[in-house]
Amino acid sequence: MMPLLTTKGLSRNFGGLRAVDSVDFTLMPSEIRAVIGPNGAGKTTFVSLVSGCIQPSSGMIVFDGADITGLPAYVRVRQGIAYTFQITSVFANLTAYDNVALPVQRTLSDGRSKGAVRAGVMAALERTGLADRAHMPAGQLSYGHQRLLEVAMGLALKPRLLILDEPTQGLADSEIDNFITLVREIAGSATVLLIEHNMPVVMQLADRITVFNAGKILAEGTPEAIRENVAVQEAYLGTAP
Amino acid sequence: MSEASPAKAYGLHLGVIALLFVLSFLLPEYYHGLLARIMVLAVFAMGYNMLFGYVGLLSLGHAMFFAAGLYGAGLAVIQLGWSVPAAFAAGLGCGVVLSLVIGLLALRTTGVAFMIVTMMFAQVFYLVILYFASWTGGDQGMVVPQPARVLFFGATALDLTNPTMRYMSALGLFSLVLLITLAIVRSRYGRVLVAIRENEERTKMLGYDTFSNKLAAVVISGIICAASGAAYALLFGYVGSSFASVQYSILPLLWVLLGGGATTLGPLIGTLFMYYVIDITSGYTSAYLLIVGIALILLVLFFPKGILGSIRQRWLGWLP
Ligand SMILES: Nc1ncnc2c1ncn2[C@@H]1O[C@H](COP(=O)(O)OP(=O)(O)O)[C@@H](O)[C@H]1O
Ligand SMILES: [Mg+2]
């Protein structure tokens, strides 16, 4: 089977800092992959490179068999890479409805009808549990709900690869349960790359886990293998047995 | 923004158009003429608002788009002897070409650089008009002769210098542009423009080519401003370089700020209000511009969203 996403020697420097350092990474279709690692390990920078938000210093990104390294971000989105930001960046002055309508109206295949936009928006809002807040300005939603709105916007892009950057930050425990169900559902039609700090969430969702540390991939494997991995425990969990 | 019921939004706008129509029969001669002029200039303001209000791009060079229409139409009539509709189309054509070129160049910049670049281009345009004085009349400008300002429909001649004809033509253009603006801002495209204004990087990450969307907005804005300029030449018969000067780049900004950026009716209200204040104060004192300036400062300080923007914020959230 052909990988959905491959990076080769992907690097990004900020001044003297190598935030992402020669990363070779492979992601298979319809996988749920979790990316974990301590703060500052380079996880957000890595997915920003994949989504096209920032440009690599060197290296190459291949999506669905084609080199996308030089493509602008909006073209990558159209090819099916959706990215939900770690730092919430919903359109604060627009309603939740309008926030989701933007991705819905672009991916709509049947062109004109107003009803289709409404149906698409309400479906995405319902899946994320925000339907009753559709007409609130996004900036007035609670932090957790803004995170969910980000997810709804990503969903509405009908991506082949959905990148979620710490989506459960600020969610209540009950909302986290719903979120886990939602990601499983999404994984039915898309590959999911999930950066997540909440270990129970990671262990429940991930097919495989990639551990980042200091810009490099430290380890990769099944949740069980990663749990047993001594190096990971030292770097990330901070507790050598 | 998109959630107002269509009936309410279109009802309000058609009501405003109907009111302006009725006013034609009620106003004394002086105000009748003034309102015709204000409607044409409000079109200019609406074109400016398209870019400044909805996309958040502050241009200081929109006089060049107005002047492109003004000179495009004026020169077509005076130098080439074209008919009124052909001359109007020539004005629009000049607006399209100019805004496309300016958009392609100026949109490489944003913020303050965009302001400066547009201002420089407008200044170049102004100097070109003065340079080709043998064609354009230089700083004297040109008068479009009355016989050339007649519209023929077969055997019927409509004299645009007749006050009622002129008023109705101005109202026709104003209404058309108002309804087009309303349709655009309520459309999906309008939603994308507002998204670009609010957060351009995020809009890109939803798969939008923001450059192309902004370029289209510059061209729409340019066409509307050129339509205003072309109508001005044909209805009021004067084509002058002062309309290309920096003052006429700043005026539409003031009108829109006064009336309320990103509101469909704000440009009309701002233009009306400014003329009204000038009209009243100039009756009392020769230092009326000072008073206008103070009024503007007070408004911007206490109603930063403009007249209609403040009304929308406090009372009528559904206003488009
Ligand atoms: N735009 C930037 N400019 C400079 N340094 C940055 C920038 N973005 C991230 N960094 C640095 O790169 C490193 C990796 O950051 P990040 O990718 O955000 O880590 P993570 O998401 O794993 O917490 C950090 O040391 C961070 O300070
Ligand atoms: Mg991060």
Side-chain angles (χ1 to χ4, degrees):
Chain A
M1 197 161 45
M2 188 173 71
L4 183 66
L5 176 74
T6 318
T7 71
K8 288 183 194 125
L10 194 63
S11 302
R12 168 70 204 215
N13 308 331
F14 291 116
L17 176 78
R18 268 178 108 67
V20 171
D21 191 357
S22 303
V23 168
D24 298 322
F25 178 85
T26 303
L27 183 62
M28 299 311 280
S30 73
E31 193 178 330
I32 300 182
R33 174 73 65 92
V35 174
I36 63 173
N39 269 328
K43 307 180 295 292
T44 295
T45 307
F46 174 70
V47 293
S48 300
L49 291 169
V50 171
S51 68
C53 278
I54 59 174
Q55 298 306 309
S57 307
S58 62
M60 171 171 170
I61 307 164
V62 177
F63 182 68
D64 200 19
D67 182 355
I68 60 163
T69 318
L71 292 182
Y74 78 87
V75 179
R76 300 189 198 191
V77 178
R78 290 176 174 208
Q79 293 191 353
I81 302 179
Y83 176 40
T84 72
F85 288 71
Q86 171 173 18
I87 296 165
T88 308
S89 66
V90 295
F91 299 95
N93 294 323
L94 306 188
T95 59
Y97 182 95
D98 277 331
N99 270 274
V100 181
L102 282 161
V104 167
Q105 70 184 28
R106 201 188 53 68
T107 46
L108 219 55
S109 45
D110 80 350
R112 302 280 80 198
S113 85
K114 270 228 152 64
V117 174
R118 168 162 295 276
V121 173
M122 292 321 288
L125 287 175
E126 256 147 36
R127 282 177 85 180
T128 45
L130 294 171
D132 54 340
R133 292 175 171 79
H135 296 297
M136 278 174 72
Q140 288 176 19
L141 296 172
S142 71
Y143 182 72
H145 286 144
Q146 290 189 29
R147 306 286 317 143
L148 286 176
L149 184 58
E150 281 272 357
V151 176
M153 291 162 79
L155 268 181
L157 287 168
K158 300 194 185 131
R160 286 194 284 162
L161 171 61
L162 179 61
I163 302 172
L164 300 163
D165 198 347
E166 304 206 11
T168 65
Q169 234 176 48
L171 291 192
D173 287 347
S174 60
E175 290 169 327
I176 288 183
D177 290 339
N178 292 338
F179 177 79
I180 290 174
T181 318
L182 176 63
V183 173
R184 286 225 175 88
E185 234 175 270
I186 297 170
S189 59
T191 308
V192 177
L193 187 57
L194 171 71
I195 300 180
E196 184 56 67
H197 270 304
N198 185 326
M199 285 316 283
V201 173
V202 170
M203 291 300 168
Q204 282 179 68
L205 280 174
D207 299 317
R208 287 173 72 77
I209 298 177
T210 301
V211 186
F212 266 70
N213 190 32
K216 291 192 163 80
I217 293 180
L218 177 71
E220 197 169 287
T222 60
E224 295 70 35
I226 293 297
R227 204 202 306 265
E228 303 305 319
N229 187 312
V230 176
V232 172
Q233 288 171 358
E234 277 172 355
Y236 185 48
L237 309 170
T239 49
Chain B
M1 60 169 231
S2 57
E3 290 314 304
S5 74
K8 218 164 162 184
Y10 281 97
L12 173 71
H13 290 71
L14 291 174
V16 169
I17 291 168
L19 178 68
L20 289 167
F21 179 78
V22 171
L23 279 175
S24 172
F25 305 103
L26 302 179
L27 287 176
E29 195 186 328
Y30 170 72
Y31 287 105
H32 188 264
L34 187 61
L35 190 53
R37 198 174 295 255
I38 288 174
M39 285 190 290
V40 170
L41 292 175
V43 170
F44 183 19
M46 284 193 275
Y48 189 83
N49 187 33
M50 200 63 225
L51 199 61
F52 169 65
Y54 290 98
V55 195
L57 285 168
L58 199 162
S59 146
L60 286 180
H62 261 51
M64 67 182 145
F65 301 131
F66 183 83
L70 188 82
Y71 278 88
L75 289 173
V77 170
I78 297 168
Q79 307 286 9
L80 305 173
W82 288 15
S83 68
V84 167
F88 188 75
L92 291 188
C94 293
V96 172
V97 173
L98 183 67
S99 55
L100 196 59
V101 172
I102 299 295
L104 281 170
L105 296 170
L107 285 175
R108 292 158 184 274
T109 64
T110 51
V112 177
F114 184 80
M115 288 159 61
I116 292 170
V117 168
T118 48
M119 192 158 110
M120 298 310 262
F121 277 121
Q123 202 58 22
V124 169
F125 194 81
Y126 176 58
L127 294 173
V128 167
I129 289 172
L130 294 184
Y131 184 79
F132 291 100
S134 57
W135 256 65
T136 62
D139 53 5
Q140 301 283 309
M142 301 174 291
V143 171
V144 186
Q146 181 170 0
R149 289 156 59 197
V150 178
L151 200 55
F152 291 100
F153 285 107
T156 354
L158 300 175
D159 183 357
L160 295 181
T161 59
N162 164 290
T164 305
M165 255 317 290
R166 182 158 70 185
Y167 186 98
M168 289 305 165
S169 307
L171 176 59
L173 176 68
F174 170 82
S175 309
L176 183 68
V177 172
L178 180 67
L179 294 176
I180 289 175
T181 320
L182 179 61
I184 289 177
V185 306
R186 291 177 52 84
S187 72
R188 294 176 193 178
Y189 176 60
R191 184 181 274 138
V192 176
L193 293 185
V194 170
I196 291 174
R197 178 189 74 200
E198 294 292 317
N199 188 341
E200 182 170 352
E201 288 311 308
R202 188 70 179 96
T203 310
K204 282 183 193 164
M205 294 311 293
L206 294 175
Y208 288 101
D209 177 359
T210 56
F211 183 86
S212 303
N213 280 289
K214 288 195 292 185
L215 183 61
V218 171
V219 173
I220 292 171
S221 172
I223 295 175
I224 295 176
C225 296
S228 167
Y232 198 95
L234 297 168
L235 295 180
F236 302 104
Y238 177 65
V239 174
S241 60
S242 61
F243 290 112
S245 69
V246 75
Q247 188 193 350
Y248 272 83
S249 288
I250 292 175
L251 278 173
L253 170 63
L254 292 182
W255 295 332
V256 169
L257 278 177
L258 262 179
T263 64
T264 46
L265 286 166
L268 171 68
I269 291 177
T271 316
L272 250 180
F273 190 83
M274 187 103 123
Y275 270 85
Y276 189 66
V277 172
I278 290 178
D279 202 55
I280 293 177
T281 51
S282 62
Y284 290 106
T285 162
S286 58
Y288 64 94
L289 279 180
L290 181 70
I291 301 193
V292 173
I294 292 173
L296 271 175
I297 291 171
L298 289 178
L299 250 157
V300 171
L301 281 180
F302 294 105
F303 298 94
K305 289 180 191 271
I307 298 167
L308 213 55
S310 303
I311 291 177
R312 167 163 70 188
Q313 190 177 23
R314 288 187 202 172
W315 298 293
L316 303 175
W318 57 271
L319 274 182

